[in-house]
Amino acid sequence: MYDVIIIGGGPAGLTAGLYNARARLNVLLLDRLAPGGQVLTTDWVENYPGFPDGISGFELMDRMKTQAEKFGLKIQSEEVIKLEVSERRKTVLTAGGPLETKAIIFCCGATWKKLGIEGEEKLMGKGVSFCATCDGPFYRNQEVAVIGGGDTALEEAIFLTRFVSKVHLVHRRDKLRAARVLQERAMSQEKIEFIWNAVPVKIYGENGVEGIELKNLKTEDVVRKSVQGVFVFIGTIPNTNIVKGLLTLDESGFVVTDDHMQTSVPGVFAAGDVRSKLLRQISTAVGEGATASYAVEKYLEALE
Ligand code: NAP
């Protein structure tokens, strides 16, 4: 039986894994794919302390994984299907079979939210994208739309200017949600044109994106804008399917914990973007991963 199974290998999970492995617990980290989480789709991280010139999302996560493995963290690619939980024994049911553990740290992060409009599903991978780092280079000298006014939308719009001839940044209000430094940078970019108070209502095209229909929320007018790519960055939804009905979630579906990352079920902890909290950053995920790992140690001591 494992002391602790960590589900999810983003910054929170890898940090919890590093700490628990270093504390010589019998720990296993499970990730559906390879570890790294959403940061892997971030081109450049410039607000994680210790890297004054910034660092690529891929390199940062690769370093976190290498560091955790150096202390003996075992990482397995495995999809978790269900959790069965009692006070002394917890079973993590995976596609490869059941795994027994005394404690769980749940760090499954969040997934990009979709617009839910006509054409989005049909043209996904054919011009509709949720990752500028992955798909940006396909749009060299073309025009694209970026939807959203948060940190992700602005960061990715700025990144896209390396390739595209124009970014039409569509935001549903006339004030951006993103950090000031990103606002200033985006506003000074000649290739970014802001379309305020507008939402997309349709993405059109036969075999690829040909354009987008935008509704002005003040006038109700709908106009067509010819673009070859649509990048959607309108926030995230938590990956909580396997804990619905087991853990207490907030009204938006994020996992509720106390200050020690303890969820509503003793011995099940949560950390990172999946948690109900004020600020979703790599730095906050890392701190929560460390706290959860220490709380697990205390929990295991109390069990003995
Ligand atoms: P977010 O902060 O939730 O912003 C989502 C944006 O999309 C908002 O501007 C929102 O408009 C808009 N939006 C939401 N639903 C929409 C819809 N149905 N149609 C049109 N527009 C819609 O999401 P995020 O930018 O992905 O960021 C998620 C978290 O990660 C945040 O905590 C953010 O600070 C953090 N993050 C940080 C960094 C960084 O520090 N470098 C980078 C990326 C993300 P309203 O503004 O009107 O609500």
Side-chain angles (χ1 to χ4, degrees):
M1 184 186 307
Y2 288 100
D3 290 322
V4 53
I5 290 182
I6 298 165
I7 308 172
L14 285 173
T15 306
L18 164 69
Y19 275 66
N20 279 159
R22 224 171 147 259
R24 300 287 181 249
L25 297 189
N26 184 13
V27 50
L28 174 69
L29 186 148
L30 299 174
D31 196 293
R32 201 162 24 145
L33 305 164
Q38 274 189 314
V39 186
L40 290 179
T41 65
T42 304
D43 174 55
W44 203 247
V45 177
E46 61 176 22
N47 56 354
Y48 188 69
F51 299 92
D53 299 322
I55 180 167
S56 84
F58 181 85
E59 190 184 346
L60 180 61
M61 296 322 298
D62 194 49
R63 284 178 179 228
M64 284 193 194
K65 175 174 170 280
T66 304
Q67 191 175 0
E69 284 180 326
K70 186 176 139 193
F71 288 99
L73 177 67
K74 283 177 267 170
I75 299 176
Q76 214 167 291
S77 294
E78 200 84 73
E79 169 116 42
V80 175
I81 298 158
K82 200 177 164 203
L83 303 182
E84 284 172 1
V85 171
S86 70
E87 194 181 335
R88 293 212 144 250
R89 179 180 286 259
K90 292 158 182 62
T91 308
V92 177
L93 295 166
T94 74
L99 298 164
E100 305 291 330
T101 181
K102 294 176 196 161
I104 292 170
I105 305 179
F106 186 67
C107 317
C108 280
T111 307
W112 305 119
K113 212 156 87 179
K114 293 181 185 157
L115 287 162
I117 58 170
E118 193 184 331
E120 184 184 38
E121 210 67 53
K122 178 183 132 188
L123 294 167
M124 221 171 268
K126 295 178 182 167
V128 174
S129 171
F130 297 81
C131 178
T133 316
C134 322
D135 300 330
F138 296 127
Y139 298 92
R140 218 167 274 279
N141 301 323
Q142 300 185 2
E143 296 199 17
V144 299
V146 165
I147 319 299
D151 285 335
T152 308
L154 265 68
E155 263 186 3
E156 303 302 291
I158 294 163
F159 172 73
L160 283 167
T161 61
R162 293 189 202 175
F163 313 101
V164 304
S165 58
K166 179 139 270 169
V167 175
H168 301 276
L169 195 136
V170 180
H171 184 37
R172 63 183 177 185
R173 294 186 288 142
D174 61 1
K175 280 198 179 59
L176 295 164
R177 181 179 290 277
R180 271 295 162 83
V181 65
L182 291 173
Q183 295 193 25
E184 287 163 13
R185 218 175 281 162
M187 301 268 185
S188 67
Q189 255 294 342
E190 272 178 17
K191 283 188 184 175
I192 300 180
E193 186 181 279
F194 288 86
I195 301 176
W196 303 108
N197 303 307
V199 287
V201 287
K202 181 179 172 179
I203 302 169
Y204 60 89
E206 274 312 309
N207 299 314
V209 168
E210 290 166 23
I212 191 162
E213 278 183 15
L214 299 173
K215 181 167 142 188
N216 184 305
L217 294 174
K218 294 233 151 116
T219 62
E220 302 274 307
D221 289 345
V222 175
V223 292
R224 282 193 155 203
K225 175 95 18 213
S226 169
V227 289
Q228 286 77 55
V230 178
F231 288 83
V232 182
F233 301 117
I234 59 167
T236 55
I237 43 169
N239 294 324
T240 47
N241 273 347
I242 59 165
V243 295
K244 272 185 191 142
L246 177 69
L247 306 181
T248 301
L249 307 179
D250 70 12
E251 62 282 357
S252 305
F254 292 90
V255 180
V256 175
T257 74
D258 65 11
D259 290 351
H260 296 178
M261 309 301 135
Q262 169 66 66
T263 68
S264 54
V265 174
V268 181
F269 300 80
D273 278 8
V274 81
R275 248 187 95 230
S276 179
K277 59 177 177 176
L278 179 66
L279 184 62
R280 294 196 164 78
Q281 299 278 297
I282 304 169
S283 53
T284 57
V286 161
E288 291 161 25
T291 303
S293 69
Y294 191 67
V296 162
E297 284 180 45
K298 297 286 140 205
Y299 172 78
L300 295 176
E301 278 169 26
L303 272 188
E304 277 157 16

